[in-house]
Amino acid sequence: MRILILILLLWPAMAFSQSRAAVEGQFRGWLDQAVWPRAAQTGVARPTFDAAFAGVTLNWDLPDLVPPGMAPTGGGGQAEFGAPGRYFDRGGLDGAASVGRQMAQTHAATLAAVERATGVPGRIILGIWGRESGYGRAEIPHDVFQVLGTKGFMSTRAAYFTDELVAALQIAQAGAAPRGMKSSWAGALGQPQFMPSNYLAHAADGDGDGRADIWGSEADTIASIGTYLARHGWVPGRDWGFEVTLPATVSCTLEGPDQGRTIADWAAMGVNRVGGAAFPASEMPGVGFLMLPAGRTGPAFVVTPNFYALKEYNTSDVYALFVGHVGDRIQYGVSDFTAGWGAVDTLRRSDVAAAQRRLEGLGHDVGGADGLAGFKTRRSIGRWQAATGQAETCFPSAAVVTALTR
């Protein structure tokens, strides 16, 4: 009887183990039947392919996995809606700026050379490098072939990760050691955290040794970041943006990269730099865009097209803002934003998504009901508030969600 009870207790674990073993077998078959033919077409040799996957098994701890025969789970419904100010914690800002100033001195010659070649200021490159990998000090622990193999075989974005897996094989074919190609849990490589396709397109040789080593070479990392931004629209000679004061007479619904006007026009409307400083004369005829990451509950900015070049690196408004701000702290010694981050109501992303769907039903373009507050959602809230006789805040709150979804 004891033996029977023990078997019954162990049976779920035994069955799960057998199930995993079966999936591992399917994984090896998928590599040979689906991935290898695609890799071979790009010039990857069989010895490179075999070396890349030697000893590689599925990583069952990665997020968003959908094992064969299972339906994707909804996931994320109870995730908390994030306050933008959290991105700018004291430790993160001070650490990135302090180490960044050291790196600016250590790599001054390389930063200057890359700026001459790409037009991207060194302080901006440092801001990205610091954010992505702590200037190369952060651990990058994963094997890219395990990560991308797992996600290409069984994730919610399998096609995308399979494409990246083939790109990673091309990098190995060009000479990178497969076990040295360390990545994040999402497959982003090395110190600049390039996805493999971005490595193939934009990785650069900054130290003149004939290869782009974004894992071990600081010069290559700096050159690669600068090259990426230059190829994604960085405008030499322009800044990324300026913190401003937004008068009550200027609607927060004017935010967005599709509502640009010259910086001189913004200034004529009473949108001025904080502290009373004038906008640089060279910027006045250039186009600028209102950017309010927390609506009227936080700092306001007029940004240039270079802000959106930064968003090509990471699509988050607060990411681009962090990079620009840290760069300014490194080079100019600026302190915190003048305006503080206001309190944000505790909401779930599912609550915000429900409000977004209601706004869509009212004819607003919110940029998708994803539970995030991008500029389209922010200004849609402001337009709805104005149409219903409310004060424009241009940001989700408990009151906004309740009014829209009741």
Side-chain angles (χ1 to χ4, degrees):
M1 178 61 70
R2 289 181 178 178
I3 294 176
L4 177 59
I5 292 173
L6 182 62
I7 291 175
L8 291 174
L9 289 172
L10 293 176
W11 178 252
M14 294 167 60
F16 183 63
S17 176
Q18 291 173 352
S19 175
R20 282 198 174 188
V23 173
E24 292 280 358
Q26 294 177 49
F27 171 58
R28 301 307 303 191
W30 173 76
L31 289 175
D32 281 332
Q33 297 164 24
V35 179
W36 163 242
R38 287 190 55 186
Q41 289 176 354
T42 68
V44 175
R46 187 69 200 200
T48 299
F49 183 87
D50 291 340
F53 294 107
V56 170
T57 59
L58 293 170
N59 184 341
W60 293 84
D61 295 326
L62 296 175
D64 304 319
L65 299 184
V66 187
M70 295 183 63
T73 59
Q78 301 303 314
E80 186 177 352
F81 173 72
R86 293 179 185 173
Y87 211 85
F88 299 86
D89 67 277
R90 168 62 47 224
L93 285 173
D94 288 349
S98 175
V99 179
R101 284 188 283 272
Q102 299 172 28
M103 292 296 177
Q105 294 180 348
T106 301
H107 301 288
T110 299
L111 289 163
V114 172
E115 182 169 355
R116 287 193 298 270
T118 66
V120 181
R123 75 182 196 279
I124 297 298
I125 294 172
L126 290 169
I128 288 180
W129 187 16
R131 185 65 193 180
E132 293 296 338
S133 64
Y135 306 100
R137 299 181 179 188
E139 182 183 11
I140 304 172
H142 295 287
D143 183 309
V144 71
F145 293 103
Q146 182 183 57
V147 168
L148 295 179
T150 300
K151 286 182 164 288
F153 177 61
M154 56 173 193
S155 81
T156 55
R157 300 173 64 198
Y160 167 76
F161 287 110
T162 301
D163 289 346
E164 294 296 338
L165 178 60
V166 173
L169 287 164
Q170 292 175 262
I171 297 170
Q173 181 63 37
R179 298 286 78 81
M181 292 173 58
K182 295 301 183 182
S183 79
S184 70
W185 62 264
L189 298 170
Q191 296 185 46
Q193 288 289 274
F194 277 3
M195 292 303 291
S197 59
N198 282 330
Y199 177 98
L200 292 176
H202 308 297
D205 175 16
D207 56 19
D209 67 353
R211 60 195 183 99
D213 177 12
I214 61 172
W215 294 272
S217 170
E218 291 88 353
D220 290 0
T221 295
I222 290 167
S224 297
I225 294 171
T227 299
Y228 183 98
L229 291 177
R231 292 176 179 172
H232 283 82
W234 186 272
V235 181
R238 295 208 65 185
D239 210 319
W240 67 267
F242 309 90
E243 187 184 0
V244 299
T245 55
L246 187 67
T249 54
V250 177
S251 173
C252 55
T253 65
L254 294 177
E255 180 183 9
D258 53 352
Q259 299 191 97
R261 57 189 71 200
T262 67
I263 290 183
D265 286 342
W266 288 114
M269 297 167 64
V271 179
N272 297 310
R273 290 183 71 180
V274 296
F279 290 107
S282 60
E283 293 282 4
M284 295 296 274
V287 68
F289 312 92
L290 187 62
M291 204 279 291
L292 305 168
R296 285 194 175 273
T297 69
F301 304 87
V302 168
V303 299
T304 76
N306 287 338
F307 179 85
Y308 296 100
L310 292 175
K311 284 192 66 175
E312 291 292 330
Y313 209 100
N314 183 312
T315 58
S316 164
D317 285 337
V318 290
Y319 174 92
L321 183 58
F322 182 94
V323 166
H325 182 56
V326 166
D328 289 349
R329 293 171 80 104
I330 290 170
Q331 184 161 336
Y332 306 126
V334 302
S335 56
D336 294 343
F337 298 131
T338 299
W341 299 94
V344 174
D345 291 344
T346 300
L347 298 169
R348 297 171 299 179
R349 282 183 57 177
S350 55
D351 296 328
V352 177
Q356 289 171 317
R357 287 191 291 272
R358 176 57 179 153
L359 286 166
E360 287 178 327
L362 294 172
H364 295 278
D365 176 9
V366 299
D370 56 6
L372 303 174
F375 76 90
K376 289 186 176 181
T377 292
R378 297 193 294 264
R379 71 188 186 191
S380 292
I381 289 173
R383 289 168 180 170
W384 166 77
Q385 289 170 322
T388 54
Q390 305 175 61
E392 297 174 9
T393 65
C394 295
F395 201 70
S397 66
V400 166
V401 168
T402 298
L404 281 166
T405 59
R406 63 186 173 194

